[in-house]
Amino acid sequence: MIRSFLLLAAFFGLTGVALGAFAAHGLRGSLSAEYLAVFQTGAHYQLIHALALFGVALLALHLPGKLLKVAGGLFTLGILLFSGSLYLLTLSGIGKLGIITPLGGTAFLAGWLCLGLAAWGFRR
């Protein structure tokens, strides 16, 4: 689990930076200002949750349990659904993809809840 979450954190961090730069430099002339902001929101949330995955991996070294695994899985799912739907929506123009975005946001929230519950149960 630890290695998997570290690898995912690195992958999502790398691609989040790359996609943010792509939006700032490559998409500036081809997307409306509104869609550019939506794309950047996807990159922003991807980077935040890449760091959250990194934190989950480090915490798993000291705090065993299923809640951390679930949190990491939910952060991963959230990135794929939330950020992924925003990327696809802006690049394809298919507005119906926005239906998926709240599912990713819910996964993010549930991931943070699981992380909090894992911390709550932590005893040294």
Side-chain angles (χ1 to χ4, degrees), residues 8-20 38-54 75-76 78-87 108:
L8 285 168
F11 173 76
F12 287 132
L14 173 81
T15 56
V17 171
L19 288 166
V38 169
F39 194 97
Q40 288 285 17
T41 297
H44 181 79
Y45 274 76
Q46 179 174 333
L47 287 170
I48 289 169
H49 290 88
L51 290 174
L53 276 170
F54 182 74
F75 290 149
T76 300
I79 290 169
L80 295 173
L81 294 178
F82 183 89
S83 298
S85 68
L86 293 181
Y87 300 146
F108 285 149

Side-chain angles (χ1 to χ4, degrees), residues 11 17-18 23 28 30-32 34-35 42 44 55-56 59 62-63 69-70 73 76 78 80 92 108 112 116 119 121:
F11 173 76
V17 171
R28 184 156 298 211
S30 22
L31 289 181
S32 68
E34 180 183 350
Y35 267 14
H44 181 79
V56 164
L59 283 171
H62 303 285
L63 184 61
K69 290 180 185 177
V70 173
T76 300
L80 295 173
S92 71
F108 285 149
W112 286 108

